[in-house]
Amino acid sequence: MAQSLESFIDSLDPSTLPRIMQIQSGIYFQGSVYEMHGHECCLATGEVIKVIGFKISKVKAESCENIENNNFRTTVELPLDYPGFFKVLADPCPYTSVSDIIKSVQIGHNRLGHPHFWSNMDIQVKDIFIKEGEHIVLNSLAEADGEQYVNCTVTREGQNKTVRLPLAHEGTFYECEDDQFYTLKEIMEWKIPKYRRRVVKLAKTLAAWEPNPYNEYLQSDLSLVPVYEIQAVMKLRKDIVHIPSNLDVEVVDVTELYDVNSFVQPLSLIDVFKRPDEDFPLLAEIIEYPDHQHIYNSLKAGRVIVIHEKHFAKTTIASENRSDLNKKHFLIPKSYKGRFKRRPREFPTVYDLELAIKSNEHLHVIATKPFESDYAEFSSVCIGDQFLVHQCQSIEVSCEGDKRIVEALACEKIVEKDYKQVLLPTYMEGSFVEVIHDKKQYNISDICKHFSLPFNVKVSVRDLSINDNLAALPSLRIEEEIADPCLLVSLLDSSSECFRIPVQRVNMSIQVLQEPAINVPCSTPKTIVEEISEDLYYMMRRYENSTLHPPPRPPKKPQSPVTPTTLRLFPPPPKPPRNSPTEIPRTKAKSQMHIPDIATKPENILHSVTITEHVKERTDHSAPETDMMLLKATSLAVDFENLDLSDKHDYEYIDENTVEDLRKQLNENEHQNKKNCKIKRENH
């Protein structure tokens, strides 16, 4: 039966591809296919086309108010990269079985591919019991003993319980309310159910996009309709053609009447990666390769390649460590031969310190923000206080006779030449900068293995085998290690050129010529440090790091005020390492501390912290006017970023006596400023 091209694609199950369709009533000019702006836009009646894939190219949005009131429907086309966030409204129509859900929604490997449902009745299947109203998270499909299941997670009493539901189980299921916000592209890729409407509501449009030409259409709930771009192969053409799904043509499915193998069979890299291991190596010809992917410039359409194997390559996500928004982001492979030295890390909360010491690190930090404790069990913190961080423990605190258990971090506070045992609550909104005593050089594998991420470094030895663009960066933040699905590929006529190609970021189509391929040797793949866009960076971080736990909430504060502690500008310096780079011994030897020359080289300061800025919140409410004048007069920029002892070219050592002299000079300046403030106050 003939149907419109749009309805044909809407009802098409991607798992049944490829499909062959025939044009029943078409639009055309001269010839069977008319190409305009890179897309096939006119098709002839009787044309036979093999559909090998389709993707969403744009979105049509209709106001739900007009649909409900049967008014004239106002439709607007939204770009997939619309700069805003939308809230997905739960579908009010129930699903009648688990199989009905699976046919409609998408289940994937990341957080967006785990839909939530609930049942209006208790579910009892064999030893599985799910209560009415409990959230059921669909994770993946499985098959056991000839029966298909869906692996689910049910959260009960704070614990995640894994259960299996057979696809044949019938019931009444509803979509759960979703409190997350999504981009339009994410909704189109993961949240559009088959045969159902998806209704969304605009939550926020980025302020940078003004004026907004779509603003008048986005005031009410919107029903989204995707417009697809069909990837197809013609009978007498070797390349892939792209057909918009909203063409006014009628088609009929004739897959059963034609031999699918009689067409060219292009495959994407993802299709090749899904093949079993025994299919490799493969001999293939490149059919389509976008010109903008210049990293692999030897791979061009028409060239014959050998695909040796598939594997998951360990890759590290890293970013340029700078405070502004114009950061560069990189993917560093494990084959990178450069070496790194540590740079100081910043910890915005005590909770971040707890996460860092889980890798058995010994941390030495300096506080850059004051904190006044409301509980006697916890220590207050002044700017410049230094701590040796140990382990987390549970502490019982009292508040107006009510006792609570609070997680706290056991530390040693360095006071003069002594070490005082103190506790810092994990909810503390402090700020700390790491003091580096480690002068070793590490490769990228050592960092990911022995240290908790994120981790601040800089390149100390560049990789001479490549044009190392990491060496020019003053500081780099190693953020996350991911498993990147890749294909190992070499050129048939130049086996020395071997590449590790990521299948999820390289859009390339090939045609398999021979399987398995002849035994072609494979050389070591080239090391490529890939610079990625900001959008791709956030997508990769979002999908990989799907479970982010916020720091704990503080307990209720007592009503009685606590006497504020005295603010000290500079604490005593730490003692130097003796035996190991991460151990701080307690000896009476002179300590050495890196103090940058900020007075003579202000342009070299990467990240300065001004004391006035850090105590502004505190002084705005508690300090008298004279104290504020004093703080402004004694503001001192401290280069915490350059407190690193690891580079022999950009620091100098000074002994403890010199530091004491500096402290005395600061104290004298403070007393003089107090006198000046007192004189001004008397004159006034």
Side-chain angles (χ1 to χ4, degrees), residues 317-336:
I317 301 177
S319 297
E320 187 179 7
N321 199 4
R322 51 191 294 180
S323 58
D324 58 18
L325 298 177
N326 298 321
K327 295 181 181 179
K328 295 180 179 179
H329 307 285
F330 303 92
L331 294 177
I332 306 176
K334 284 294 180 287
S335 59
Y336 178 75

Side-chain angles (χ1 to χ4, degrees), residues 177-441:
E177 293 289 341
D178 195 341
D179 58 354
Q180 300 295 315
F181 299 104
Y182 304 96
T183 64
L184 197 57
K185 186 176 181 181
E186 289 172 340
I187 294 174
M188 290 296 104
E189 291 179 352
W190 293 100
K191 301 297 180 180
I192 295 292
K194 285 285 185 183
Y195 319 113
R196 290 170 177 256
R197 287 198 308 159
R198 171 55 75 201
V199 179
V200 301
K201 186 178 184 63
L202 179 66
K204 182 179 178 59
T205 298
L206 300 184
W209 208 44
E210 293 291 346
N212 185 356
Y214 303 100
N215 189 53
E216 61 177 301
Y217 304 101
L218 304 178
Q219 300 305 313
S220 62
D221 296 348
L222 300 173
S223 176
L224 302 182
V225 178
V227 177
Y228 295 94
E229 179 185 275
I230 305 169
Q231 300 165 356
V233 176
M234 316 299 290
K235 188 71 173 177
L236 302 176
R237 293 179 61 164
K238 193 175 183 179
D239 56 340
I240 299 175
V241 296
H242 303 273
I243 306 171
S245 64
N246 58 349
L247 284 184
D248 186 17
V249 296
E250 290 188 346
V251 299
V252 63
D253 191 333
V254 292
T255 306
E256 305 299 330
L257 304 179
Y258 284 84
D259 181 11
V260 175
N261 297 326
S262 63
F263 292 79
V264 173
Q265 300 186 54
L267 300 173
S268 67
L269 295 185
I270 295 179
D271 295 331
V272 177
F273 190 85
K274 292 178 180 178
R275 290 197 167 201
D277 294 335
E278 52 268 20
D279 284 359
F280 296 92
L282 296 173
L283 195 64
E285 179 185 354
I286 300 175
I287 294 179
E288 186 177 49
Y289 190 91
D291 294 334
H292 65 273
Q293 294 173 340
H294 59 278
I295 300 177
Y296 310 94
N297 49 17
S298 298
L299 303 177
K300 298 179 181 179
R303 300 204 70 170
V304 179
I305 59 175
V306 179
I307 305 175
H308 298 273
E309 64 179 22
K310 66 173 185 177
H311 65 280
F312 286 91
K314 290 291 185 180
T315 305
T316 305
I317 301 177
S319 297
E320 187 179 7
N321 199 4
R322 51 191 294 180
S323 58
D324 58 18
L325 298 177
N326 298 321
K327 295 181 181 179
K328 295 180 179 179
H329 307 285
F330 303 92
L331 294 177
I332 306 176
K334 284 294 180 287
S335 59
Y336 178 75
K337 299 181 180 63
R339 300 186 71 83
F340 302 91
K341 284 186 177 181
R342 297 179 61 173
R343 298 289 289 169
R345 287 173 289 177
E346 295 183 10
F347 304 96
T349 65
V350 174
Y351 181 72
D352 294 293
L353 292 176
E354 179 195 354
L355 296 179
I357 63 172
K358 286 184 178 179
S359 61
N360 297 323
E361 282 190 73
H362 296 281
L363 280 181
H364 176 195
V365 296
I366 297 178
T368 61
K369 183 178 179 181
F371 170 75
E372 295 181 5
S373 175
D374 294 309
Y375 300 92
E377 292 84 357
F378 300 137
S379 172
S380 294
V381 176
C382 299
I383 295 176
D385 283 348
Q386 301 185 45
F387 300 91
L388 302 181
V389 184
H390 293 304
Q391 76 273 350
C392 187
Q393 59 189 51
S394 299
I395 302 297
E396 186 180 75
V397 297
S398 299
C399 174
E400 300 178 352
D402 185 17
K403 294 184 178 181
R404 298 182 178 90
I405 300 299
V406 178
E407 296 296 318
L409 207 57
C411 305
E412 287 183 288
K413 183 178 180 180
I414 304 176
V415 182
E416 298 294 337
K417 297 184 179 180
D418 296 327
Y419 295 82
K420 179 182 177 181
Q421 301 290 335
V422 296
L423 294 172
L424 300 178
T426 53
Y427 65 79
M428 171 181 161
E429 296 180 359
S431 181
F432 302 88
V433 175
E434 184 180 21
V435 178
I436 299 296
H437 300 278
D438 187 358
K439 301 179 184 179
K440 288 185 178 180
Q441 299 184 43

Side-chain angles (χ1 to χ4, degrees), residues 60-226:
K60 291 194 300 184
E62 294 182 1
S63 172
C64 291
E65 293 181 357
N66 294 334
I67 296 176
E68 294 172 358
N69 299 330
N70 294 323
N71 295 335
F72 177 75
R73 296 187 179 184
T74 303
T75 303
V76 60
E77 288 189 355
L78 297 176
L80 281 179
D81 57 353
Y82 178 83
F85 293 96
F86 294 82
K87 181 177 177 60
V88 175
L89 304 183
D91 189 349
C93 298
Y95 293 81
T96 57
S97 67
V98 177
S99 177
D100 188 20
I101 297 176
I102 298 304
K103 291 177 181 178
S104 180
V105 303
Q106 292 195 62
I107 299 178
H109 61 281
N110 59 55
R111 181 179 61 84
L112 298 181
H114 296 162
H116 294 226
F117 288 85
W118 63 275
S119 173
N120 66 349
M121 62 184 70
D122 294 342
I123 298 177
Q124 181 72 50
V125 181
K126 297 181 181 179
D127 58 342
I128 301 172
F129 179 74
I130 301 176
K131 297 180 182 178
E132 173 189 350
E134 283 189 317
H135 283 207
I136 306 170
V137 183
L138 310 185
N139 296 323
S140 61
L141 295 175
E143 185 175 350
D145 300 329
E147 188 174 6
Q148 288 187 318
Y149 294 86
V150 57
N151 293 320
C152 308
T153 301
V154 178
T155 302
R156 188 174 297 164
E157 297 179 355
Q159 300 293 327
N160 290 334
K161 185 177 181 181
T162 302
V163 297
R164 278 185 171 182
L165 284 179
L167 298 191
H169 180 76
E170 296 183 352
T172 305
F173 299 90
Y174 291 90
E175 195 174 32
C176 294
E177 293 289 341
D178 195 341
D179 58 354
Q180 300 295 315
F181 299 104
Y182 304 96
T183 64
L184 197 57
K185 186 176 181 181
E186 289 172 340
I187 294 174
M188 290 296 104
E189 291 179 352
W190 293 100
K191 301 297 180 180
I192 295 292
K194 285 285 185 183
Y195 319 113
R196 290 170 177 256
R197 287 198 308 159
R198 171 55 75 201
V199 179
V200 301
K201 186 178 184 63
L202 179 66
K204 182 179 178 59
T205 298
L206 300 184
W209 208 44
E210 293 291 346
N212 185 356
Y214 303 100
N215 189 53
E216 61 177 301
Y217 304 101
L218 304 178
Q219 300 305 313
S220 62
D221 296 348
L222 300 173
S223 176
L224 302 182
V225 178

Side-chain angles (χ1 to χ4, degrees), residues 354-630:
E354 179 195 354
L355 296 179
I357 63 172
K358 286 184 178 179
S359 61
N360 297 323
E361 282 190 73
H362 296 281
L363 280 181
H364 176 195
V365 296
I366 297 178
T368 61
K369 183 178 179 181
F371 170 75
E372 295 181 5
S373 175
D374 294 309
Y375 300 92
E377 292 84 357
F378 300 137
S379 172
S380 294
V381 176
C382 299
I383 295 176
D385 283 348
Q386 301 185 45
F387 300 91
L388 302 181
V389 184
H390 293 304
Q391 76 273 350
C392 187
Q393 59 189 51
S394 299
I395 302 297
E396 186 180 75
V397 297
S398 299
C399 174
E400 300 178 352
D402 185 17
K403 294 184 178 181
R404 298 182 178 90
I405 300 299
V406 178
E407 296 296 318
L409 207 57
C411 305
E412 287 183 288
K413 183 178 180 180
I414 304 176
V415 182
E416 298 294 337
K417 297 184 179 180
D418 296 327
Y419 295 82
K420 179 182 177 181
Q421 301 290 335
V422 296
L423 294 172
L424 300 178
T426 53
Y427 65 79
M428 171 181 161
E429 296 180 359
S431 181
F432 302 88
V433 175
E434 184 180 21
V435 178
I436 299 296
H437 300 278
D438 187 358
K439 301 179 184 179
K440 288 185 178 180
Q441 299 184 43
Y442 300 92
N443 58 37
I444 190 67
S445 298
D446 293 336
I447 292 173
C448 295
K449 182 178 180 180
H450 298 296
F451 298 100
S452 62
L453 303 181
F455 197 75
N456 293 352
V457 297
K458 65 178 176 181
V459 176
S460 57
V461 179
R462 67 171 63 230
D463 188 345
L464 299 178
S465 65
I466 62 173
N467 183 16
D468 193 352
N469 50 0
L470 300 179
L473 302 178
S475 183
L476 197 65
R477 184 178 177 88
I478 307 296
E479 297 184 320
E480 191 173 1
E481 187 180 34
I482 64 172
D484 203 10
C486 295
L487 294 174
L488 194 61
V489 174
S490 67
L491 297 175
L492 180 63
D493 55 357
S494 179
S495 59
S496 61
E497 291 195 66
C498 188
F499 307 91
R500 185 178 284 113
I501 301 180
V503 300
Q504 294 179 335
R505 297 191 302 279
V506 175
N507 185 19
M508 184 169 73
S509 298
I510 65 167
Q511 179 185 5
V512 175
L513 302 179
Q514 179 182 347
E515 49 179 337
I518 55 177
N519 191 12
V520 178
C522 178
S523 60
T524 303
K526 290 184 177 181
T527 298
I528 297 178
V529 177
E530 184 180 352
E531 183 175 349
I532 59 177
S533 66
E534 187 175 11
D535 291 341
L536 180 58
Y537 163 78
Y538 283 113
M539 286 296 179
M540 297 182 72
R541 294 299 312 277
R542 183 175 185 179
Y543 294 157
E544 292 290 334
N545 202 0
S546 59
T547 55
L548 296 176
H549 301 289
R553 296 181 62 182
K556 184 179 179 181
K557 294 184 179 180
Q559 299 297 325
S560 56
V562 179
T563 304
T565 57
T566 304
L567 177 66
R568 290 186 291 105
L569 290 179
F570 268 82
K575 297 187 177 184
R578 183 179 180 182
N579 299 321
S580 68
T582 57
E583 181 182 0
I584 302 179
R586 306 177 185 180
T587 66
K588 294 184 178 181
K590 290 184 178 180
S591 63
Q592 293 176 324
M593 186 175 180
H594 168 220
I595 306 294
D597 186 6
I598 61 176
T600 58
K601 298 181 180 180
E603 68 276 7
N604 293 332
I605 299 177
L606 298 177
H607 183 64
S608 296
V609 182
T610 305
I611 292 178
T612 303
E613 296 175 354
H614 287 284
V615 298
K616 185 176 188 299
E617 180 180 355
R618 178 179 173 184
T619 55
D620 283 346
H621 303 285
S622 59
E625 182 180 356
T626 55
D627 290 343
M628 177 63 79
M629 294 173 60
L630 170 63

